[in-house]
Amino acid sequence: MTTNPTVFTLGDALVTFNPSETGPLRYVQSFAKKAGGAELNFAIGCARLGLQSKWMSRLGNDEFGKGIYKFARGEGIDVSEVEFVDGYPTSLNFKEIREDGSGKTFYYRHQSPVLTIEPEHITDELLNGVSIVHLTGVFLAIAPKNLQIVLAVLKKAKEKNIKISFDPNIRLKLWTIEDARKAYEQIFPYVDILLAGMEEVELIQHDVSKPALEAFAKQHGIGQLVIKDGANGAKLYSENMWHEKEAFKITPIDTVGAGDGFDAGYIYAALHNYSPIESLTFANAVGALVTTVKGDNEGLPELQEVLDFMNNKKAIER
């Protein structure tokens, strides 16, 4: 593996409006404008850890889209496959945050600009130099036709012997669990690393006992089945063995984006040949750090921050 691998991801980005106070959104009077979206968060997380990060998307040819583009480029992300389109407004979401750090998201992404991506845009050159492809269920949920685009990416990746990671990232506000299951059944056979939340696994196949999860991984040929379980930690099934790691003890401020951060951390670890327990520990650390800062991606850490956090080192401020 090269010293600085390239990660590719594909998906929507949104302008995220973060509330100025906690509580039900109907009582919140002001918001801070940020950029978000699962795949963009992942791309940022990888870039901050030092990976080469390539993101494919479409943005509205409007002020919000230009703001997201500038932000992503400023994070060092390769935006050569990001284009502006007329007639499709950049997607928005509004976050509601409760006192315990939990929250809800309200999406306004009708006529998302990514609807203009077509299977023919998935060219042979698109994945040149890419070490791993990471996709999520959010892009799939936006429109039924996106399944064909994702399958085109997966087939290109397999032709080039590029590893594939997938996070179901189920959004039931965007599609039904039945539609999600049908799409995932076509995707799982391509997946090398599956990064799924415990609740998502329950939605997908109900039985989350270890024997059932083992059978699921073997049925689809998934080499690394990673289960994210928030404050309970994470576990990995790989090569007929289970590995488990507890979560770091922190006080969460905003849990949005923690799963995307975990994904970036795990992929970084996998690309650098960390052991199973080292990979889970590193990913847990990134996910934990994300929750200590308000915002979808503001808390995504740089590599040294993760290492210091894992080693319980305090930063010297002055």
Side-chain angles (χ1 to χ4, degrees), residues 156-168:
K156 293 284 186 191
K158 284 301 181 185
E159 288 171 9
K160 294 173 177 285
N161 293 315
I162 297 170
K163 293 282 188 184
I164 293 163
S165 71
F166 180 69
D167 184 339

Side-chain angles (χ1 to χ4, degrees), residues 114-115 137-149 174-175:
V114 296
L115 292 173
V138 179
F139 179 72
L140 288 165
I142 292 172
K145 73 164 191 167
N146 286 358
L147 176 60
Q148 298 309 313
I149 296 166
L174 299 178
W175 62 348

Side-chain angles (χ1 to χ4, degrees), residues 26-302:
R26 73 192 73 170
Y27 302 117
V28 176
Q29 300 300 316
S30 59
F31 300 83
K33 179 172 70 71
K34 307 287 185 179
E39 296 88 1
L40 176 58
N41 292 341
F42 173 81
I44 293 168
C46 290
R48 289 190 189 164
L49 292 172
L51 298 171
Q52 296 290 333
S53 190
K54 184 177 183 179
W55 171 53
M56 181 179 190
S57 191
R58 298 292 184 267
L59 298 168
N61 191 17
D62 50 35
E63 289 301 308
F64 285 151
K66 292 169 185 176
I68 291 173
Y69 184 88
K70 181 179 178 181
F71 173 63
R73 189 174 59 186
E75 288 288 338
I77 295 169
D78 178 348
V79 291
S80 59
E81 294 294 334
V82 178
E83 297 178 6
F84 297 104
V85 292
D86 293 318
Y88 291 80
T90 300
S91 300
L92 311 177
N93 71 14
F94 289 80
K95 286 166 59 179
E96 176 182 276
I97 301 174
R98 296 303 177 108
E99 293 292 340
D100 63 357
S102 64
K104 297 178 183 177
T105 301
F106 299 87
Y107 297 105
Y108 298 87
R109 66 200 321 167
H110 179 65
Q111 285 295 90
S112 166
V114 296
L115 292 173
T116 62
I117 299 177
E118 301 293 344
E120 56 262 31
H121 294 138
I122 309 305
T123 63
D124 287 333
E125 297 76 28
L126 180 66
L127 300 180
N128 284 350
V130 169
S131 307
I132 194 163
V133 167
H134 176 80
L135 301 170
T136 89
V138 179
F139 179 72
L140 288 165
I142 292 172
K145 73 164 191 167
N146 286 358
L147 176 60
Q148 298 309 313
I149 296 166
V150 166
L151 289 172
V153 174
L154 296 176
K155 290 170 184 175
K156 293 284 186 191
K158 284 301 181 185
E159 288 171 9
K160 294 173 177 285
N161 293 315
I162 297 170
K163 293 282 188 184
I164 293 163
S165 71
F166 180 69
D167 184 339
N169 222 326
I170 297 174
R171 297 286 193 270
L172 293 181
K173 290 181 179 179
L174 299 178
W175 62 348
T176 67
I177 189 58
E178 291 76 21
D179 287 339
R181 287 195 196 108
K182 289 176 185 175
Y184 297 160
E185 283 299 313
Q186 297 187 57
I187 287 166
F188 287 152
Y190 291 93
V191 175
D192 300 292
I193 301 171
L194 181 65
L195 298 148
M198 179 61 81
E199 292 179 357
E200 292 174 328
V201 177
E202 289 180 300
L203 285 170
I204 292 167
Q205 69 143 33
H206 304 301
D207 189 347
V208 293
S209 66
K210 285 186 175 178
L213 293 174
E214 291 167 14
F216 169 81
K218 289 172 181 173
Q219 174 190 348
H220 297 292
I222 296 169
Q224 298 176 54
L225 173 61
V226 184
I227 309 295
K228 302 179 281 185
D229 200 12
N232 297 316
K235 56 189 175 184
L236 161 67
Y237 180 67
S238 180
E239 297 182 349
N240 299 315
M241 289 183 63
W242 281 100
H243 309 271
E244 301 187 37
K245 188 63 181 177
E246 70 276 7
F248 288 89
K249 303 300 180 187
I250 47 91
T251 302
I253 295 173
D254 182 357
T255 58
V256 174
D260 304 325
F262 181 101
D263 291 358
Y266 190 87
I267 294 306
Y268 176 91
L271 287 169
H272 288 85
N273 300 314
Y274 283 26
S275 71
I277 288 297
E278 287 172 337
S279 297
L280 292 176
T281 303
F282 189 86
N284 279 342
V286 176
L289 285 167
V290 172
T291 70
T292 64
V293 180
K294 283 186 179 180
D296 289 24
N297 47 56
E298 283 76 3
L300 287 165
E302 296 181 351

